[in-house]
Amino acid sequence: MGSTRFAALGAALAWVIAASAGAQTALSPQARGGYRVMTALTVQVEGAVAAGGGVSDGTLWAASLDTAIRRSGYAREVQRAPAQDSLKHAALEGFQLIVEGRVRIDGPADRVTVDYTVVDVLSGQRVLSDTIAAPLPYEYDLGETFWIPLIYQLEKIVPTERHTYVRIRGEGGTRVSGFGPKPLVIPNSGELRVEVFVPGTYPWKAEKWGSFSQSGVFAPLENDAILRIPPAPLRPWAVETGLYMMQFPDLWLQRSFLQDHVFIRLGLQQYLFGFFLPDPWANGTTKYQGIISLPMVEPGLALGYQFGAPEAFLNSYVYGAALLRYDLDLRLPDPVAPLETQGMFGLSWRASPRISLFAEIGAAYYPLCKGYLVLASKGGTDSGPFAFLYGDQWFLEFPRWRLGVRFYL
Amino acid sequence: MKVPPRGTTKGALALGSLKWFFLGLTIPLILSLSSCWHPPFNADLSASEFTVSKLGSPVWAVTVKLYSEASGGYYLPYRDPLQYFSGAWVWKSPTQIRFGCLQITGPNMYTFNSPSLGFPNEMGNAVQIRTPMGYNSGNYVFFGSSGGTGIGQYALPSSVITTYWSPSTLPAVGMGMVPYTGTYDLFYMAYFDYGQLNYVSSPIDSTSPFPPSTTPVPFLHSVPVPAAPGFFAQSPANGGFYLSAKEANGAFATYFWSYTGAEPIRLPVNVQITEMLSDGRLLADSSSSVTVYSPMGEYLFTINTGALHFVHERYDLVNACWISVFTRTVEIPQQNTDNNQYRIEIYEIKTRDLQNLAR
């Protein structure tokens, strides 16, 4: 048969490559954690099943078979076969075996007969065919013991497999996992040869210090297939602009270290221009203005820690910032409160490798100040949703929040 | 033969077109949530704090919780330092002045009144407001505005009596109150009477009869009629006369006569002079700062004031010198009430040392 010849040719090629390869890695069958099995079960009920009798629901029968195979450890993946062309699908998707069964339930007799076959996908041959005839099981028996004869026979089957080598290309030093029990490291030559079984699908993950982690699913069908892992260097420099309190635009430059976990920011928070939309009916000094301008800028420095991996879709971080409140009228640090510190918690959403959106919330603490003067500087407690605490020489206000966009350079 | 890997590189970062959808949502969300938060920064308070740090500790201070009507006002104490616990509560804007009275009678005890009646202020920053030298129980505050027609007397603390006096039915072109001796100020007012520029003066103190008795004195040489009343006074130091007011073209002009028969000289001061010190130096109070000029209009220095108010001079008999008095009233918001706390501070510095406050 053509498929058999093709399998033999593949195996021979694999042997030749294995004998001559340098940087290559072999893979044992056990290392793969089992085979990939498809199941297809039809259930036919003849006559009425007595109330309180055994299981006649086809869904439960199919699920019990999948569970039994999965639980056996023989298979690392069990998937229900499509209604049509199950062999073709199994081959294309890298499954090794198809377990097909026909369940006939004789309701009045309270008995069941299951005719099952096991098909080796690569050879297309039926490698097992048998029947289970038994009293109609209750749900517990179906889930726990009914399929034992089938599992017992299935575990003896070694499906036809083809060994081949694939090449993994990427930056030297990249750790690639998914092709064996231990991660592989791409040598400085940039290419690694790995023995795999085909057909097969291999979820992989590549990690390298200073780069984003990458992952995917590799499904080699032919010998000498190539998995290319493109360089994905981290972008340690970023410029971010935010709306502090959703009112005041600011600008920060960020430098990240230690796989993007630690970052330092240098930037400018400003109050020369901002949105100001107080309650137009509020009394006191607040009036509906739309725009606010105060002669103060705050150059600042921040140090923070990001919890998640840099490529994470959502990430969280914390940082502390110290800002010098510079009074542009006096051309001096603000005599009322020369220093502002902030403690913030942030969530960022990496919309693309170069852009992330973020939202931050936290509190601001003003040391070295007269607390009542800082409070008086706000102009009224109706100037926005906030809470405060103060003492003779400090002032604390919360919450503070900020939204913005970070551009990775 | 190279067979491209099947499946996709999972693109942990890839999001597809959904991101633009979220971006489109985010921007309007930000705009709609723009809040009414006010940063804890007030340029006036910061300016005042800069100068307060040079003035040192206040000579008198108190923190009181007042009714919401007090909002926006400041404390103007009596001249006598022994009576600093009582004085006027002043609301001053470029168009209106209003007075109340505050008397601290003990810890957390006070009397406060805040009449709603206001007086038009056509003099802007040049409006003259003084508590008189000396003290008696029926004390009052003088204010030189009331529509530019004369001087008003507002009785404190509780008898709300307003009296106006003007030597002419014609509008004044300038008014001023200048410390003359340690016991009284001199009130000056200039006005045009059928094209003739005249002035009157009268001493005022806590016991002065009101209205005062004055005799008009004419100037030999006039100046253009100002567009709005401004500052007018005679210097206690050199005897010269000063008129500083807005001209028809909107600019400020300051004229100086060495005596009533002299030709007026236009001084190099292009801002509104608002006060005159006992030593003859001129002050221009712009609400955010006080600039000091020499008697001949040369710029000397500027003091950041902001929420700090230069209110008057008093004579210190012990040290035989003039003292400049500043007050600062800080309104401290309280949560869930409109009755805010007020921190009232009075600072003093010898007038001859004012330059130490320069920025």
Side-chain angles (χ1 to χ4, degrees):
Chain A
M1 294 175 68
S3 59
T4 308
R5 283 200 303 275
F6 190 79
L9 180 61
L13 267 174
W15 184 86
V16 172
I17 293 169
S20 59
Q24 56 193 29
T25 304
L27 185 69
S28 68
Q30 292 77 13
R32 300 173 52 188
Y35 299 106
R36 304 181 74 221
V37 178
M38 269 192 172
T39 63
L41 202 67
T42 59
V43 179
Q44 180 184 349
V45 183
E46 295 170 357
V49 177
V55 177
S56 61
D57 183 349
T59 307
L60 283 179
W61 275 92
S64 68
L65 175 61
D66 293 350
T67 304
I69 296 173
R70 194 177 290 121
R71 200 164 51 194
S72 71
Y74 176 76
R76 65 182 161 91
E77 184 179 347
V78 180
Q79 198 177 97
R80 202 72 56 79
Q84 303 278 330
D85 299 326
S86 59
L87 185 61
K88 177 182 168 188
H89 281 94
L92 285 175
E93 294 176 25
F95 284 78
Q96 283 92 36
L97 295 171
I98 301 175
V99 177
E100 296 173 333
R102 190 158 69 93
V103 181
R104 286 175 297 153
I105 298 171
D106 185 347
D110 201 25
R111 289 192 63 80
V112 64
T113 305
V114 180
D115 299 317
Y116 61 86
T117 59
V118 177
V119 177
D120 180 90
V121 173
L122 200 59
S123 65
Q125 292 180 345
R126 187 176 295 172
V127 293
L128 174 64
S129 183
D130 208 340
T131 299
I132 300 173
L136 187 63
Y138 290 99
E139 198 170 318
Y140 176 81
D141 298 327
L142 181 63
E144 295 295 324
T145 59
F146 184 84
W147 296 108
I148 287 175
L150 185 151
I151 299 299
Y152 178 75
Q153 290 178 301
L154 186 65
E155 286 179 343
K156 293 178 181 172
I157 298 171
V158 178
T160 304
E161 288 191 305
R162 202 155 47 108
H163 293 224
T164 188
Y165 281 86
V166 297
R167 288 185 284 174
I168 301 173
R169 285 183 180 166
E171 289 186 293
T174 302
R175 286 162 54 92
V176 183
S177 54
F179 293 97
K182 293 180 181 176
L184 311 172
V185 179
I186 297 177
N188 289 334
S189 64
E191 183 171 302
L192 180 70
R193 299 175 72 88
V194 183
E195 182 188 11
V196 297
F197 296 94
V198 291
T201 55
Y202 298 88
W204 58 269
K205 184 175 183 183
E207 297 167 293
K208 185 176 187 296
W209 186 259
S211 297
F212 289 107
S213 295
Q214 299 180 78
S215 59
V217 178
F218 185 53
L221 296 177
E222 303 270 350
N223 183 46
D224 207 23
I226 299 174
L227 169 63
R228 289 187 177 85
I229 301 173
L234 293 177
R235 300 180 183 280
W237 290 97
V239 172
E240 68 175 47
T241 179
L243 267 184
Y244 192 62
M245 299 303 281
M246 287 182 278
Q247 293 176 264
F248 297 95
D250 58 21
L251 189 68
W252 293 80
L253 178 68
Q254 176 174 300
R255 176 71 164 90
S256 298
F257 304 91
L258 302 176
Q259 202 67 5
D260 274 4
H261 282 302
V262 176
F263 60 84
I264 292 176
R265 286 184 198 161
L266 186 67
L268 188 73
Q269 198 165 291
Q270 61 82 36
Y271 298 97
L272 290 168
F273 172 83
F275 301 107
F276 191 54
L277 305 169
D279 178 359
W281 293 278
N283 56 13
T285 57
T286 55
K287 292 175 185 172
Y288 188 86
Q289 298 172 19
I291 300 294
I292 188 172
S293 179
L294 300 171
M296 186 171 71
V297 294
E298 296 187 353
L301 187 69
L303 177 66
Y305 182 83
Q306 179 170 270
F307 294 103
E311 65 276 4
F313 177 66
L314 274 177
N315 226 322
S316 58
Y317 55 91
V318 292
Y319 70 85
L323 302 102
L324 179 70
R325 290 160 51 91
Y326 191 78
D327 187 326
L328 293 170
D329 277 356
L330 299 178
R331 298 180 185 178
L332 288 170
D334 180 20
V336 168
L339 192 65
E340 175 182 351
T341 62
Q342 298 171 353
M344 304 290 277
F345 170 78
L347 283 176
S348 64
W349 165 35
R350 195 88 181 218
S352 81
R354 286 198 176 259
I355 297 176
S356 71
L357 304 181
F358 61 84
E360 298 171 353
I361 191 165
Y365 177 78
Y366 299 79
L368 312 172
C369 68
K370 292 177 182 171
Y372 72 92
L373 281 183
V374 179
L375 176 57
S377 297
K378 290 188 61 63
T381 55
D382 53 358
S383 64
F386 75 98
F388 62 84
L389 297 167
Y390 69 96
D392 288 344
Q393 296 186 331
W394 57 272
F395 182 83
L396 174 70
E397 187 181 41
F398 54 92
R400 291 288 179 87
W401 59 85
R402 183 170 171 258
L403 293 179
V405 187
R406 193 170 295 131
F407 300 95
Y408 294 90
L409 304 178
Chain B
M1 180 176 113
K2 291 178 184 174
V3 179
R6 200 162 146 262
T8 57
T9 298
K10 196 182 275 178
L13 307 175
L15 187 65
S17 58
L18 260 184
K19 68 186 174 191
W20 302 116
F21 174 73
F22 284 114
L23 276 174
L25 277 183
T26 304
I27 292 168
L29 182 71
I30 289 170
L31 292 177
S32 65
L33 292 180
S34 286
S35 73
C36 50
W37 175 78
H38 191 287
F41 176 75
N42 179 304
D44 283 344
L45 270 178
S46 295
S48 71
E49 187 64 10
F50 173 82
T51 303
V52 160
S53 66
K54 296 184 174 187
L55 283 164
S57 300
V59 295
W60 185 87
V62 69
T63 301
V64 289
K65 192 171 185 177
L66 300 179
Y67 298 115
S68 60
E69 289 79 5
S71 182
Y74 71 90
Y75 183 64
L76 171 64
Y78 287 148
R79 288 282 185 92
D80 183 350
L82 297 176
Q83 304 297 328
Y84 274 172
F85 57 85
S86 61
W89 195 262
V90 181
W91 293 265
K92 184 167 81 171
S93 77
T95 57
Q96 192 184 60
I97 51 175
R98 198 154 59 89
F99 302 104
C101 172
L102 175 65
Q103 185 171 25
I104 306 297
T105 54
N108 297 317
M109 295 174 65
Y110 61 87
T111 59
F112 177 75
N113 69 45
S114 57
S116 58
L117 180 63
F119 308 102
N121 174 19
E122 293 182 353
M123 296 172 65
N125 288 332
V127 64
Q128 302 291 298
I129 303 172
R130 285 285 188 283
T131 49
M133 292 197 189
Y135 175 77
N136 67 36
S137 59
N139 225 328
Y140 42 81
V141 58
F142 287 108
F143 59 98
S145 180
S146 66
T149 57
I151 185 172
Q153 183 196 43
Y154 189 88
L156 299 173
S158 57
S159 53
V160 183
I161 301 170
T162 305
T163 309
Y164 296 104
W165 167 79
S166 176
S168 168
T169 56
L170 297 169
V173 295
M175 278 181 278
M177 294 186 214
V178 179
Y180 192 69
T181 67
T183 54
Y184 64 87
D185 294 321
L186 277 176
F187 165 71
Y188 289 92
M189 177 174 162
Y191 62 98
F192 277 100
D193 189 359
Y194 298 102
Q196 171 62 53
L197 181 61
N198 296 327
Y199 85 91
V200 293
S201 69
S202 173
I204 50 173
D205 65 15
S206 61
T207 58
S208 296
F210 198 88
S213 173
T214 60
T215 303
V217 179
F219 281 93
L220 191 58
H221 300 284
S222 187
V223 292
V225 179
F231 176 81
F232 174 81
Q234 183 181 16
S235 169
N238 62 18
F241 297 89
Y242 295 82
L243 174 63
S244 178
K246 185 183 285 186
E247 294 187 307
N249 62 6
F252 288 101
T254 302
Y255 293 97
F256 168 73
W257 296 260
S258 56
Y259 59 98
T260 54
E263 286 276 358
I265 301 169
R266 184 164 178 159
L267 298 180
V269 178
N270 57 1
V271 295
Q272 173 72 70
I273 295 298
T274 58
E275 312 270 355
M276 183 181 286
L277 294 173
S278 55
D279 58 12
R281 285 182 292 179
L282 307 171
L283 301 188
D285 190 341
S286 71
S287 296
S288 60
S289 65
V290 169
T291 302
V292 182
Y293 295 89
S294 75
M296 294 315 293
E298 293 135 348
Y299 172 84
L300 296 178
F301 55 90
T302 298
I303 301 169
N304 292 315
T305 49
L308 197 65
H309 296 269
F310 170 82
V311 289
H312 51 235
E313 285 179 279
R314 69 170 183 87
Y315 192 72
D316 182 353
L317 286 170
V318 176
N319 297 303
C321 66
W322 285 97
I323 303 287
S324 291
V325 180
F326 293 83
T327 71
R328 181 168 72 169
T329 303
V330 179
E331 187 173 346
I332 307 169
Q334 304 293 295
Q335 285 180 314
N336 305 319
T337 175
D338 289 335
N339 298 341
N340 291 332
Q341 273 196 337
Y342 293 81
R343 169 75 177 173
I344 300 169
E345 298 161 339
I346 300 176
Y347 297 91
E348 293 185 341
I349 185 172
K350 291 175 183 171
T351 296
R352 64 170 178 258
D353 294 335
L354 268 181
Q355 187 152 11
N356 294 344
L357 304 182
R359 66 186 179 198

